Amino acid sequence: MEVKINVQNVHLAEVIESPEGVLSFTAPEHVAGAMEFGKVPQIAKGQLYGDGKITHSNTKKVAYQITANLNKLPTKWRRYMEGVQVNNGVESGTSKDDPKPFAIGWEVEKTGNQKEMIWFLYCLAEPIQETTRQSEDNINYSTDNVTITALEDDNLERFYTFIDTEDEEITTEMAENFFKKVQTTDAIAAA
C-alpha cells in the first residue's frame, strides 16, 4: 500500500449545457500552483423511530464540498467561475453575477510511483477568497481559496470519475489519458 504525498496536476474545463440538458466540456486546461485540496461528502440523513428507539437509519450523498487552495487561480477562471462581467478588460462584480458550471480534476501523487486521479464533473464555486499580506522581514505570498460544490448531474448519473493506479485494472494508457478530456464514463478515453 502506497502513501499519499502530494497534490498536483489540477485541470479545469467549462461545462456547456444544451437546451435538452446534455453536458459537454471544453478541453481541460492545466492550472499550476496546487497547494491543498479537500473533498467532503455532504449527506442527507434519515432515521425511523419505533418503540422508543431507532429502527432504521440511512445516509445518502447529496453533493461534495471541495476546498481548493492555489498559489493563484488564473483571472480567466476566477471570472468564469464567479460569472462576473468584463468589458474592455474591466471587470465589474454585481449581485446579479451568475456562477458558471465547470469540471475540476486533480492528481494525488503517492509513493511507489503511484497516483490517484479524479474528475468532479459538475461544479459551482462560491466567490473566490483571496489572502494578501504585506511583506515585512520576509517575503509573504498571497493565495486563492475556492470553495466548490460538486453536484450529481442527472444525465451523467455521477458526482465524479476516479482512478487509482494501484488498482491492477488501471493501465498506463488510462492514466496517461485521464486529463486529456473530462472523463464522464467508466471507459477512460483519449481526447
Side-chain angles (χ1 to χ4, degrees):
M1 181 175 86
E2 305 302 333
V3 179
K4 299 176 187 182
I5 58 173
N6 192 28
V7 62
Q8 60 191 16
N9 211 9
V10 176
H11 284 76
L12 294 167
E14 295 178 17
V15 172
I16 301 162
E17 297 181 76
S18 75
E20 298 80 29
V22 177
L23 301 184
S24 60
F25 303 87
T26 61
E29 294 182 28
H30 180 258
V31 176
M35 295 171 48
E36 181 178 14
F37 271 71
K39 60 181 171 128
V40 177
Q42 305 298 296
I43 60 168
K45 185 173 184 176
Q47 295 179 327
L48 179 64
Y49 288 83
D51 297 327
K53 62 183 179 184
I54 298 172
T55 58
H56 185 76
S57 181
N58 194 12
T59 59
K60 289 188 176 191
K61 293 182 280 189
V62 295
Y64 277 84
Q65 180 175 325
I66 300 166
T67 52
N69 298 325
L70 303 157
N71 295 147
K72 180 178 184 328
L73 183 65
T75 300
K76 167 195 166 186
W77 279 104
R78 182 184 52 75
R79 288 174 171 170
Y80 177 83
M81 288 176 178
E82 292 185 2
V84 299
Q85 297 297 311
V86 180
N87 293 310
N88 298 320
V90 178
E91 177 181 321
S92 61
T94 71
S95 61
K96 295 178 183 167
D97 292 345
D98 190 19
K100 295 184 178 132
F102 60 95
I104 187 168
W106 67 89
E107 173 184 316
V108 176
E109 179 185 13
K110 299 178 358 179
T111 56
N113 201 29
Q114 301 295 326
K115 55 188 158 187
E116 295 176 352
M117 304 163 95
I118 193 164
W119 270 113
F120 278 93
L121 308 174
Y122 192 92
C123 301
L124 294 169
E126 294 179 7
I128 284 67
Q129 300 174 31
E130 181 181 332
T131 303
T132 307
R133 296 184 294 176
Q134 174 67 43
S135 291
E136 296 169 353
D137 293 337
N138 294 311
I139 297 171
N140 290 322
Y141 293 97
S142 300
T143 59
D144 290 338
N145 305 303
V146 186
T147 301
I148 299 165
T149 301
L151 303 172
E152 180 179 17
D153 178 73
D154 289 339
N155 291 322
L156 298 175
E157 298 181 333
R158 62 177 66 201
F159 293 105
Y160 62 82
T161 303
F162 172 88
I163 63 172
D164 184 337
T165 59
E166 276 189 76
D167 186 333
E168 59 190 41
E169 294 180 52
I170 302 301
T171 65
T172 302
E173 181 181 16
M174 291 168 75
E176 289 172 354
N177 288 336
F178 197 76
F179 291 119
K180 290 183 178 176
K181 69 177 240 173
V182 177
Q183 303 295 335
T184 61
T185 69
D186 294 341
I188 305 304

